[in-house]
Amino acid sequence: MGQSVVIDNRSGAAGTIGAELAARAAPDGHTLLFCTSAVLTIHPHLYPKLSYDTMRDFVPVTAASSSPFLLVVHPSLQARTVKELIALAKSRPGQLNYSSRARAP
């Protein structure tokens, strides 16, 4: 690249702090936002008061990595497919517990 690179790692709020900082930066091509796809695709639907607009404030460059989602159930549960799990949950409303590793800002 022929120039120095400064990394300003702004953690917190599940990536929205860094995204807000990048959105406010001068649009001179010298600021890159490296974040999970959720910051630009899911957060705008969950948090309507974000100070950035994904479509207005960012231009995609590339996908750098991918991470699959994983759905698991206890072996004692009689569901071996997603379709079976949904049917079971519908047949037993309010009776199945779940855990999620998702973090909200």
Side-chain angles (χ1 to χ4, degrees):
M1 293 180 11
Q3 63 186 34
S4 298
V5 176
V6 176
I7 298 173
D8 187 0
N9 186 15
R10 299 288 178 110
S11 62
T16 58
I17 292 173
E20 290 174 352
L21 182 68
R24 288 193 304 266
D28 57 9
H30 286 88
T31 300
L32 294 173
L33 172 64
F34 191 87
C35 64
T36 65
S37 60
V39 173
L40 302 176
T41 59
I42 297 171
H43 290 184
H45 300 285
L46 294 177
Y47 313 108
K49 295 183 180 181
L50 292 176
S51 67
Y52 63 87
D53 180 288
T54 300
M55 301 304 290
R56 179 193 67 219
D57 297 328
F58 300 103
V59 176
V61 176
T62 189
S65 66
S66 66
S67 178
F69 288 98
L70 184 64
L71 177 63
V72 297
V73 297
H74 191 274
S76 67
L77 198 64
Q78 297 302 312
R80 297 294 177 255
T81 66
V82 174
K83 185 176 181 178
E84 290 175 359
L85 180 60
I86 292 170
L88 181 63
K90 285 182 177 180
S91 73
R92 298 169 52 190
Q95 295 180 21
L96 298 181
N97 297 322
Y98 73 94
S99 175
S100 171
R101 184 136 161 79
R103 290 172 269 165

